[in-house]
Amino acid sequence: MNNTILTLGVPANEPVRTFAPGSAERESIGRELAAMSSEPMEIPLLIGGREVRTGIFDEVRNPCNHAQILARVHQARECDVDAAAGAAVEAKAAWETMSWVERASITLKAADLIATIRRDRLVAATMLGQGKSVYQAEIDAACETADFLRYNAHFASGIYADQPPSGFRGLNRLEYRPLEGFVFAVSPFNFTAIGSNLNMSVALMGNTTVWKPASTAVLSSYVLMQILREAGLPDGVVNFVPGPGPLIGRTTLRRADLAGIHFTGSNKTFNTLWRGVAERLEQYRVYPRLVGETGGKGFVVAHRSADPLQVATALVRGAFEYQGQKCSAASRAYLPRSLWPAIETALLDMVGSIRMGDTADLHNFMNAVVDQSAFDRVMGYIERAKSSAAARVLTGGHGEKRHGYFIEPTVILTTDPHFVTMEEEIFGPVLTIYVYEDRDWESMLRLCDTTSPYALTGAVFCRERYAFVEACRALRYAAGNFYLNDKPSGAMVGLQPFGGARASGTNDKAGGRLNLVRWVSPRTVKETFVPASDYRYPFLE
């Protein structure tokens, strides 16, 4: 019997490949893209390790070429969702009693598979299905997914080692029990790594899940499931149920053994789930844990002491990487009048040089938005700006969806700091700028804090330290991830745990120890070595 007390050290973040011309990785990803594009994949449900084919299909299409069908996906029925929940509960009995070291071994093996022999397959699936450039897909699907798996094992070792002190007449300990029931994991389209973490952070702590992946990310999600199974994940620990969101949510919420929800997606959906849980509180065996990240309206604030070129670079990368389809994207900017001419010149020059097209062409900085619904929504915001006297489109503003869902990187200048594109989440390649008078620095900070309901990410550019201190104080609750002289996106697992509050979610910090603590229910155990044999205390004498 192995009685070693294992402590896992801090891992190194997975290096990002550059895909430079002539490199081996550039050639290998090209081969994988060709292979995955050769014929559509059939994707079943995975329930208790069993492949379920319902015969009710949805299609995964390449957003850069929507005539190309990448996969046909079997859709879950109500009976399948119930079966998945039942399989999760059944699998939990063995999974929760397994040593955490064995669970961690599986996640660490999955990380190594993703970092090595399965890397190109997961990256290619993310590029094709979700419209990500090779670099963005590499950061997400390969590096961040592996980082989540490795860092979580490190964090778990620290949690389990955290024990109360004991006296010489007894022994105190904490048991970190998994939640009583199953966890419902709902993942978004924009990050393959989030789909992994929503399930595997929960599973590492001894829980089991029912996983509803976004319909536009099913291809990479299924590839990820195959990798997890290859790593040794037992049947039923993660149950894969693509299908209609309302049906899956409704069926899951009515089960008395629902123990938690791990969610990333829209406010509307999370609010619906939260409301549904609240309406059924009496039926649940435990109060379900609700952990959600729901969106953002990332801001960039520049002080008059900032460097204009650095600000412009951060705006371009922050707003237009992955077509702005990040909840952390730079979506609104507050720039001082004195710097605006220099920032505008640099910004428009950079945007004018951006290449946009198919993900298979590695020269493209931008690609397509994920589907027609996203295209129509984003173009709707742009048209409102075009027709408003309070806004002017400085560059971009056009979309084309005949072959793929392409929208130009668009910069809007507004005279109204409460213009709709300054307040609402757009989730597309649209940046809105408000130019403030230098003397209005403090009032502008208050304006930034109160303009949007979100509080996920924000950035401040300045060279004066007093200005940064003032911004930190004024924007204390405006962002859960706050940046100085950097774009408001690109948080790294373990280094900048991610999450925000207000309308951005419960701020339980994915990529950090705090998130894992949400998936355990601690029990204190006190053992007394020599119990008392007389009820009377000395003060009674």
Side-chain angles (χ1 to χ4, degrees), residues 36-41 58-62 65-72:
M36 195 165 282
S37 301
S38 60
E39 60 179 293
M41 184 186 302
D58 190 20
E59 294 175 340
V60 176
R61 292 177 179 265
N62 183 345
N65 176 16
H66 47 63
Q68 181 187 18
I69 299 174
L70 298 168
R72 292 184 173 88

Side-chain angles (χ1 to χ4, degrees), residues 13-19 25 119 135 138-139 143 492:
N13 291 86
E14 180 65 26
V16 181
R17 299 179 296 180
T18 63
F19 299 94
E25 62 257 29
R119 187 176 192 132
Y135 191 64
E138 166 78 0
I139 292 169
C143 301
M492 293 184 68

